[in-house]
Amino acid sequence: MTDWVIVTVKCLAVLFMVLQVSALLLWVERKGSALIQNRIGANRAAIFGIGPVNLGFLNTLIADPVKMFTKEDFVPAGADRVIHQLAPFLALFPALVTFAAIPFGDTVEIAGRTVELQAVRLDVGMLYVVAMVAMGVYGVVLAGWASNNRWALLGSVRGSAQMISYEVALGLALVSMVLTYDTLDLQQMVRSQGELTLGFLPAWGIFFQPVAAVIVFTSGMAESKRTPFDLPEAESELIAGYFTEYSGGKQAAFMLADFAEIVVVSGLMTTLFFGGWQVPYLTSAGWKLPGLDLLPVAGWLVTLLQVGAFTVKVLFFCWLQILIKWTVPRFRYDQLMNLGWKGMIPVALLNLLITAGLVLLLAEGEA
Amino acid sequence: MSETAFYLLAIPTVLAASGVLLLRNPVHCALSLVVALFLIAGSYVALDAHLIAALQIIVYTGAVMVLFLFVIMLLNLQPDPDEGAHVLAKLGAGAAALGFAVIVGAIVGEWFETAPPPAVLAADFGTTRGVARTLFRDHLTAFELTSVLLLVAVVGAVVLAKRDRV
């Protein structure tokens, strides 16, 4: 019974963490883009006809969803009704469940049990992430096809070609990370990043695999279809791309999926390259700076610091992605494909080859 | 695999698989196949074969079926108009299905009679290390031969596609 409660609480916590951060990102995007473009942005709303009043970020967090969910739910003539209804959920589902494999803290003791701060600990955690990323294509493809709209279909064709192309580079870069850590288990990867290398540097993935970090971040952004990779939407060419024919709540579902994907990419970057929940030099006993004495820290404080560090890192990468979106202009389609197939994939392959060679050399050195 | 898990997964799998045959719209058929393949991955999870489940989703649901769907959409196939098959064709199909059912029934019946007791799983069963050891150590020759076969298929496809340009 207690086990069931713990698992349920963990799953709900992760789900709501992704949803909350996604909702916050909606506000960050609206106000952040305004900041970048030197305007004020959304700052007032009339609630039940009273106002307009400025409620700070509550405006966007409450007014925007209320607006979206009270709009007419429109299905275009000639659309495939069932698939048109299904597509937003197919887009949202993979984005929300991917985070289940990402660890957000070390273990804690609850009711005599050691609980991993991770929704599900999977032996094949990395493959699970790749599998769920691969599922994300369906929402895009089906939304465009079911809408019976030329622009939407063009958007979904672009979207699926882009996502499949960048999945290859992403997968190859992830394989080199698997070789580096010698495991597919994401929690194990984070654990091994808690050690020190050369006696003083935290053994974070970025120091071993900077090339893979760039590839994972870039193809992650391409997977989430945001500027400079937003050709599937391309509002100046395709109206709104694959979700042109969606309105109200279903359009909100596509937006939410986009933001959830940002959170997932950030979580993946944090876990693989920036030490996950590790705070530099903080062990379960306390703070141990190289060359200095151990500074004892209470166990609950260590857990809190670690979960806090994970959150800060994830939020940083979310902000970085929004910053990039509003700074860099959109690629042309041939540039996008060239970057994917002639740039990222060869570099990722070379990186994998070098990694494999080094791992083999080091293993023979030990034997 | 517990009996509950089996029925929870098997019944929807069979329903989705029948959808592939019975639905009229080719896109709906392809989607039913996606659902069926996804649920088979669920069965693998229930059988402790996590690696195979993940690979099933990555390869079949994520790659192969997206291509299927893509081709169907680009060809813009229309729903089957159902002109009704000839009576003889229907009779023939029925007879073939009956024969197939009899053969499968005979095999399964035999298997049930002589089925060995369920084996105790090794500690590393279904883990990446376990599967890799079987694949790359015990059955390396078969694995390499399969990869050559796949390579031949890829080269053959390229040759066929390029034939009129040579």
Side-chain angles (χ1 to χ4, degrees):
Chain A
M1 182 63 203
T2 326
D3 291 322
W4 278 100
V5 172
I6 290 173
V7 169
T8 315
V9 167
K10 278 200 298 189
C11 289
L12 285 179
V14 168
L15 181 64
F16 278 97
M17 191 160 74
V18 176
L19 283 173
Q20 294 302 328
V21 175
S22 306
L24 265 177
L25 283 178
L26 175 68
W27 173 70
V28 172
E29 170 135 303
R30 294 198 67 183
K31 290 298 263 189
S33 66
L35 196 71
I36 291 166
Q37 296 173 338
N38 203 12
R39 50 190 175 81
I40 296 170
N43 69 341
R44 62 199 65 194
I47 293 161
F48 298 118
I50 306 161
V53 285
N54 187 354
L55 295 173
F57 73 101
L58 282 179
N59 272 357
T60 352
L61 283 191
I62 296 171
D64 269 13
V66 167
K67 180 187 77 183
M68 277 173 193
F69 282 101
T70 47
K71 281 193 172 176
E72 184 192 353
D73 181 19
F74 181 76
V75 182
D80 190 312
R81 295 192 76 88
V82 179
I83 297 183
H84 192 269
Q85 297 276 357
L86 203 64
F89 300 102
L90 287 177
L92 194 53
F93 171 76
L96 289 183
V97 297
T98 314
F99 221 83
I102 293 177
F104 55 92
D106 205 351
T107 52
V108 284
E109 296 280 335
I110 295 172
R113 289 172 180 77
T114 311
V115 178
E116 302 263 358
L117 288 181
Q118 182 184 23
V120 244
R121 180 146 188 202
L122 287 170
D123 173 51
V124 291
M126 181 76 101
L127 289 177
Y128 169 81
V129 171
V130 177
M132 287 305 129
V133 168
M135 294 295 296
V137 184
Y138 284 106
V140 178
V141 174
L142 293 175
W145 180 80
S147 296
N148 190 30
N149 178 321
R150 301 286 186 276
W151 306 120
L153 187 63
L154 273 175
S156 70
V157 168
R158 279 185 183 184
S160 45
Q162 172 180 329
M163 288 171 86
I164 291 174
S165 307
Y166 279 84
E167 235 171 69
V168 180
L170 180 71
L172 287 171
L174 291 182
V175 171
S176 49
M177 293 319 289
V178 171
L179 282 178
T180 311
Y181 295 124
D182 194 28
T183 179
L184 283 164
D185 181 352
L186 294 169
Q187 181 71 289
Q188 196 58 46
M189 286 186 184
V190 176
R191 292 246 159 83
S192 61
Q193 289 182 74
E195 289 156 19
L196 296 182
T197 167
L198 304 173
F200 70 98
L201 199 64
W204 287 5
I206 183 81
F207 300 123
F208 299 107
Q209 291 278 9
V211 180
V214 173
I215 292 173
V216 168
F217 191 61
T218 316
S219 34
M221 280 196 74
E223 289 290 329
S224 62
K225 308 174 287 299
R226 292 176 56 80
T227 331
F229 301 101
D230 71 335
L231 285 110
E233 297 179 33
E235 54 279 78
S236 52
E237 308 160 25
L238 299 180
I239 312 175
Y242 60 94
F243 55 80
T244 302
E245 295 288 1
Y246 283 89
S247 61
K250 286 191 248 166
Q251 200 254 335
F254 278 114
M255 272 179 76
L256 192 62
D258 256 21
F259 286 119
E261 275 167 4
I262 295 183
V263 185
V264 168
V265 171
S266 307
L268 205 58
M269 281 302 288
T270 307
T271 307
L272 293 178
F273 299 105
F274 292 88
W277 41 261
Q278 299 278 4
V279 182
Y281 310 115
L282 184 71
T283 61
S284 52
W287 225 303
K288 178 81 181 76
L289 282 170
L292 292 176
D293 288 334
L294 181 84
L295 181 73
V297 180
W300 60 270
L301 193 60
V302 170
T303 307
L304 217 59
L305 279 172
Q306 286 172 337
V307 176
F310 178 77
T311 315
V312 168
K313 289 173 191 175
V314 167
L315 289 179
F316 170 76
F317 281 105
C318 291
W319 168 242
L320 189 65
Q321 286 182 69
I322 286 181
L323 199 64
I324 292 173
K325 163 162 184 168
W326 292 99
T327 313
V328 188
R330 183 183 306 138
F331 281 124
R332 229 173 38 226
Y333 194 69
D334 59 319
Q335 290 172 331
L336 173 93
M337 283 295 148
N338 279 342
L339 178 70
W341 287 97
K342 296 182 186 166
M344 310 262 285
I345 293 178
V347 172
L349 269 174
L350 202 64
N351 188 49
L352 177 59
L353 197 69
I354 295 171
T355 311
L358 282 178
V359 167
L360 198 65
L361 273 180
L362 289 177
E364 278 185 358
E366 280 171 16
Chain B
M1 176 154 59
S2 77
E3 209 162 301
T4 333
F6 173 76
Y7 285 114
L8 274 178
L9 288 161
I11 294 170
T13 311
V14 172
L15 284 180
S18 348
V20 181
L21 298 173
L22 298 176
L23 291 173
R24 290 260 167 256
N25 191 326
V27 173
H28 294 175
C29 296
L31 279 180
S32 300
L33 190 52
V34 173
V35 173
L37 291 172
F38 194 84
L39 288 167
I40 290 173
S43 299
Y44 285 139
V45 171
L47 286 167
D48 284 326
H50 292 133
L51 177 71
I52 305 294
L55 293 183
Q56 162 94 4
I57 292 182
I58 293 172
V59 175
Y60 287 103
T61 329
V64 174
M65 285 317 296
V66 174
L67 272 181
F68 270 40
L69 210 58
F70 218 76
V71 171
I72 292 172
M73 285 176 184
L74 287 185
L75 294 178
N76 199 14
L77 294 180
Q78 295 306 315
D80 188 3
D82 187 28
E83 286 158 357
H86 196 269
V87 185
L88 274 180
K90 278 183 181 168
L91 277 177
L98 202 66
F100 182 69
V102 168
I103 293 171
V104 169
I107 293 171
V108 171
E110 175 122 351
W111 183 78
F112 264 118
E113 279 166 19
T114 60
V120 179
L121 298 180
D124 65 348
F125 177 84
T127 62
T128 318
R129 263 175 230 282
V131 173
R133 223 163 254 145
T134 321
L135 206 57
F136 298 125
R137 203 169 278 171
D138 305 347
H139 302 286
L140 184 63
T141 328
F143 176 80
E144 288 298 335
L145 286 177
T146 316
S147 64
V148 171
L149 191 67
L150 287 175
L151 189 66
V152 169
V154 170
V155 173
V158 172
V159 169
L160 281 179
K162 285 217 157 191
R163 192 159 50 179
D164 51 345
R165 270 190 242 161
V166 177

